Every structure is written in structure tokens, then in C-alpha cells.
Amino acid sequence: MLDERAVTESVAELASGLSGQVDELTGELLQLYARELPHLVHDDESVVSLLSASLHQNLDTALRIFQHCIDPGRVEAPAAAMEYARRLAQRGTPVIDLIRAYYLGQTAILNHALITATGQVEDRALLGAMMSQVLTGAFAFIDRVTQQVVSAYQEERDRWLLGRSAARAARVRALLDGGADLEGSETALGYRLRGTHLAMIVWHGVEPLSGNGLSGLERLTGEIAENLPSAGKPLFVPIDELSSWVWVPLDRAGLPDEDHVRKVLAGADPTVRLAIGEPGEGLEGFRRSHRQAQRVHALADAAGEHCDRVLTFREVGAIALMAADLGAAKAWVSDTLGELATDDEQHARARDTLRVFLATGSSYTAAAGLLSMHKNSVQYRVRKAQDMLGRPVSDNRLDVELALKLCQRLGPAVLNTP
């Protein structure tokens, strides 16, 4: 059985030998990036110089870990690596390129270490144990450093977006208020205002869990726009640290595919919410779509945690308009539904059953299928719900349906405490 100390000493000896090749290895990694991530090395000279310094410091730090048996979990990312991440954030380079650069570099250096060790170590068992230790340490180091540089990237991206957005937000507000000239605004914003637009508001309902903030929102809206007939890059306008206004330029009118949006949100911070307007033409459509998104946002804000993560004006526009005056909406719901507007589990079941029953054309069979209930149970609940109403649904069916939808979307905000 191999002595662990002997393995560690052999790894330290290997790292010591490679430490004299840091300059050469840095050059090889730059050539690798020129092939795989060419935009990182065909950039401003100062940025490429910073990339080279980041590679050199990372390599030097990694080799010292193995030379001196340092715990990778206690290592801080080199200063040049942190600054390079911040510089990429300022330039809008996707964070995935930064992450990929680290893993491409790790693979290349591990291959180089394996080739070097194979030529130096004849004992196959020792060689295998050495490579196992090197792999474990290298992955721990890369995991530690990438967490730190990605965090630095995201913090800088948020700061940069907010700092850059002040003038842009002022220009957009002027457009929404009817001021600002069209051509000058297009030039200032880098966004064409004469086409078709889809407005969205994207925000964190509470403080984000992952700390991604605006950079996470920007990335999410980009992913959603990829599924649309987009005519260009979205206009992303941060309003504060937790929310942004967005416009997507479209080749033709269309809404995001629901399945795609759910998939994107599933991979995002769970605090993210999305309100979507209707597509609109020209400058007036730019404004109208945004006003619709604002109304949907207000509805979601009123509903709080009870609300769905994504809402469209097409789906909830009427309800959003009704909820503009929440106090009046609550009073109307109470007058329309009577006892049925009570905020408890029993009345919630009755409301949901009656809502689905009415939505299926008053079909007990269809409602039972949607609710996964027996037809007789649906009949019983509908009868109880009508008793709670105090009058036949047919007397004011449209009002009852709207009130039930308000309860579904806003929950406690429009219900009466039992």
C-alpha cells in the first residue's frame, strides 16, 4: 500500500518542476483561448494584459498549493483574476465565457501535468495516486476561485448597469411621458423605436438568494428573448437594484412560449418575477406595451407571494385594471361573492370548484376532469358555493366569474378575514 506522505511529496516535486514553466504555460493557455475563446484575446491590449496576469497568478497559486500542501478551500482568488472578472463585467462579456476559460485552462494544465509525471514516474501505482491527488486538489482550487471571480463579476455588472443606466433611464422616462425626439433617442439608447416592441418588467420579489441582482435579471431576459422572433438585442433599463424595465424588438408580434419561460425561470433565482405586456407598433406601441406590463406588475405586487411568477396582460389584463384600486376591488368582491369571499380553506375549495365549473361552460363532467374529482363531489361543492353566494349564479354570472378570478390571482388581498 502506498504511503500517502510519499504521494504528497511526489506531487510537490512535480509542482516544483512545473513552477519554473509558468511563463511558458501562460503563453500556451493564451494560444488555447485564441482558438476556443478568440474574443478574449482579440480585445483591448490592457484587457488582454490583465488576462495574461490573471493566468500567471492563478497558475502560480495553484502550483504553490501543491508544493506546500495548502488547503485550496482557504485560498483567495488572485488580485488580477478578480480585476479581470470585473473588467469583463464592464464590457458585457457573458459570464459563461469567464467560467469556460477556467475549465479549459484547468483541463490543459492537468493534461500537461499528466504527460510530465508519466515521463518522470515509473511506478504506475504511484503515478495513479499522484494524479488522483492532483485532480482532487485542482478541482477544489478551481471551484473556490470560480465562485469568487463569478461573484466579483456579478457585483461589478450590477454596479456598472446601475451607473450606466441613469442617463438611459431618464431618456426612457422622457419617451414614456411623450417627450424626447425619436432619432436622438434611438441613437442614445442603441435601440430602434420604429418597429414592434414587447415590454416586460422583471424584478426580484424579495432580496435575491444568490446575490445575482441585475446581472441575473439581464441574463434571464436575454434567454427569454432568444425564444421570440427578435429583431435585435433587448433594451434593458435597470430601475433600482432589484428591478428592470425591458423592451424586446420583434420581427413580428408574438409572446414568449409558456414552456420556455417556465424552463428559464426554473433555472433562475426563485425570487424572480416577470410581467409581460402585449406587442405594440412604433413609439406608441412601445409606450402602451410598457403601461400594460406596469398594470400587471401592480397586480403581482398586490398579490405578493400568492401570485404566479410570470403574468401576461393577455391573461390578466382585465383583472389588473380592476385591481388598480385595491380597496374598491375588495369591496366589490365582498359584495359580489358574499360569504364565499371568506379567506379560509373551506371557502377557497368552494371558490375554485365554482370557478372551474363556470369556466367549463357549467359542465360537471368537464369540471370533475380538471379538478380530478368525482362528478358528484363537484355537484355538491357547486351547490354549497351557490348557497354561500345567497343567490343563483345566473343572476350576475359575469360578475361572479370576474370576482372569482380576482380571488384566484390576489388571494388574501381581496378576501375577508373569517
Side-chain angles (χ1 to χ4, degrees), residues 21-39:
Q21 304 175 37
V22 170
D23 290 342
E24 177 186 341
L25 292 173
T26 299
E28 290 180 5
L29 288 182
L30 286 172
Q31 292 177 24
L32 172 65
Y33 292 166
R35 295 192 302 272
E36 300 295 333
L37 295 167
H39 53 288

Side-chain angles (χ1 to χ4, degrees), residues 39-61:
H39 53 288
L40 294 186
V41 293
H42 298 155
D43 203 339
D44 182 86
E45 184 177 344
S46 64
V47 179
V48 177
S49 176
L50 194 55
L51 168 61
S52 179
S54 172
L55 290 170
H56 194 284
Q57 289 182 13
N58 272 316
L59 283 168
D60 184 66
T61 301

Side-chain angles (χ1 to χ4, degrees), residues 156-269:
E156 180 64 18
R157 187 64 181 160
D158 285 358
R159 188 194 67 78
W160 185 261
L161 285 169
L162 275 176
R164 189 189 64 177
S165 70
R168 172 175 285 198
R171 175 74 68 162
V172 167
R173 290 181 191 278
L175 281 170
L176 294 172
D177 292 339
D181 67 289
L182 189 66
E183 291 186 4
S185 296
E186 286 184 332
T187 300
L189 296 173
Y191 180 88
R192 184 170 173 78
L193 295 163
R194 305 164 203 256
T196 304
H197 315 279
L198 178 67
M200 300 186 287
I201 297 177
V202 58
W203 75 100
H204 290 280
V206 295
E207 197 71 27
L209 301 179
S210 59
N212 290 357
L214 293 172
S215 60
L217 297 182
E218 183 186 35
R219 185 167 58 253
L220 178 140
T221 53
E223 291 176 9
I224 291 175
E226 289 175 0
N227 186 247
L228 288 162
S230 177
K233 186 177 179 181
L235 174 61
F236 184 84
V237 184
I239 300 305
D240 55 37
E241 294 180 351
L242 298 178
S243 63
S244 294
W245 294 347
V246 182
W247 285 264
V248 180
L250 302 177
D251 284 330
R252 60 184 186 279
L255 289 174
D257 177 73
E258 291 183 12
D259 290 339
H260 177 72
V261 173
R262 280 195 292 268
K263 182 178 179 181
V264 171
L265 285 175
D269 191 297

